[in-house]
Amino acid sequence: MHTLPQQLANGLFLGSMYGLIAIGYTMVYGIVQLINFAHGEIFMTGAFGALTVWNCLPDGMNIWAALPLMLIGGAIVSVLIAVGAERFAYRPLRGAPRLAPLITAIGLSLALQQAIFVWYPGADNAKDFPQLGTHPYHLGSIAIQRNDIFLVAAAVVCMVGLAAFVRTSRTGRAMQATAQDPDTAQLMGIDTNRIIVIAFAIGGLFAAVAGVAFGLKYGQITYNMGFQAGLKAFTAAVLGGIGNIYGAMLGGLVLGIAEACATAYIANIPGMHQLGGQGWANVWAFVLLIVVLLVRPQGLLGERVADRA
């Protein structure tokens, strides 16, 4: 049990990243009832956009000075792709049967993945990503890397900023109205197309922050990293209550902690030594999802209409 604080911290760091990506899923679903399976690739392109900025900067530039520029570069790429996907891939299918945009999202996901693989130089191999440092801070028995501090801080800032935006701004209230009843919102003078674009843009922004945090944490990015991360984030969104922005972050944290603890401790249970380790992390994540949905089908927090945006 002496390793439990460290595992809980590892789960918190991992869950913060899942939560950032999951918010993009849940915002889009809350407004247009669309599961954007290309969101994992938007996360991936944000990381590659940030890496491109880093490669264009002068050699020897301090990573802390470069980090804001990398975040801006990654955000521009992710937001443009997210908004472009809404305008050219999803909007023409808004009145189509729900299977059509779902298949389109899967096709767009594969297209983005292959575009990076084919056109980004050297993307067929893992690309090295700069890190904030390798010397950890110690809080009792817990070792905390600088990259993890950035990840948690970014998640907190993004979540607090989004909550304030949704609750206090005029656009945020319009997003709530559109999520509750888009037809009535349009009759009341709200430009629902603009609100949907903003939802995609915010989701892309958060995905870019998560992509940069992923690269900083693991030191490498790959063209296919968005598939698994996106699947885990979608799981987190469903776990917390799809359409609920607070549930998305909570689901990410629960999933991250469960994954970290399961990989560390299940192998120590008599008769289950073959079911532990990192190779089983995905299995236990989905086992948790199944158990929660059997007990509470609406997710941990459920779907709160007022917060669906």
Side-chain angles (χ1 to χ4, degrees):
M1 295 299 293
H2 69 280
T3 64
L4 180 60
Q6 182 66 61
Q7 297 304 328
L8 292 175
N10 292 341
L12 176 66
F13 305 144
L14 185 62
S16 297
M17 183 171 62
Y18 289 157
L20 279 173
I21 308 172
I23 287 174
Y25 278 106
T26 210
M27 286 190 67
V28 170
Y29 181 86
I31 291 184
V32 292
Q33 303 292 297
L34 167 69
I35 298 174
N36 180 18
F37 278 118
H39 192 64
E41 273 56 52
I42 293 173
F43 152 82
M44 176 268 295
T45 56
F48 274 91
L51 180 62
T52 301
V53 172
W54 170 256
N55 290 335
C56 292
L57 293 174
D59 293 338
M61 186 171 182
N62 184 275
I63 180 60
W64 289 102
L67 186 57
L69 300 176
M70 294 170 65
L71 286 169
I72 292 171
I76 290 173
V77 172
S78 288
V79 169
L80 286 177
I81 292 176
V83 171
E86 189 282 327
R87 180 61 185 87
F88 299 107
Y90 299 139
R91 189 181 298 183
L93 299 175
R94 200 172 292 167
R98 297 183 68 176
L99 188 60
L102 182 64
I103 294 174
T104 300
I106 296 173
L108 180 61
S109 171
L110 295 174
L112 289 172
Q113 194 177 118
Q114 290 304 307
I116 294 295
F117 176 77
V118 172
W119 288 319
Y120 196 94
D124 51 331
N125 296 311
K127 303 289 290 184
D128 291 333
F129 204 92
Q131 293 186 286
L132 298 178
T134 57
H135 299 291
Y137 299 105
H138 291 275
L139 183 63
S141 61
I142 303 175
I144 305 175
Q145 298 285 350
R146 296 176 185 176
N147 308 308
D148 294 325
I149 295 174
F150 167 79
L151 173 55
V152 173
V156 171
V157 169
C158 288
M159 190 68 215
V160 171
L162 178 61
F165 173 77
V166 170
R167 289 192 175 277
T168 62
S169 71
R170 186 173 181 178
T171 301
R173 291 192 293 271
M175 293 175 77
Q176 295 180 50
T178 304
Q180 186 171 3
D181 191 332
D183 294 330
T184 302
Q186 194 165 17
L187 290 173
M188 296 297 292
I190 295 175
D191 186 350
T192 54
N193 284 331
R194 172 176 167 271
I195 296 302
I196 292 169
V197 167
I198 291 173
F200 271 87
I202 293 175
L205 173 63
F206 281 30
V209 174
V212 174
F214 181 97
L216 293 172
K217 179 176 176 62
Y218 296 108
Q220 287 184 329
I221 58 174
T222 62
Y223 74 94
N224 59 356
M225 72 182 199
F227 175 77
Q228 182 169 310
L231 196 58
K232 292 284 189 67
F234 173 66
T235 303
V238 175
L239 187 63
I242 189 72
N244 188 319
I245 59 175
Y246 307 106
M249 184 57 72
L250 176 63
L253 295 177
V254 170
L255 184 65
I257 291 172
E259 186 176 320
C261 290
T263 55
Y265 296 124
I266 284 183
N268 297 326
I269 299 175
M272 299 187 67
H273 64 279
Q274 294 182 336
L275 304 181
Q278 192 61 39
W280 283 81
N282 296 340
V283 174
W284 293 115
F286 289 106
V287 167
L288 173 66
L289 175 65
I290 292 170
V291 170
V292 170
L293 292 182
L294 286 174
V295 176
R296 189 173 171 82
Q298 68 271 40
L300 294 174
L301 295 186
E303 185 176 358
R304 296 166 58 192
V305 173
D307 294 328
R308 276 165 52 170

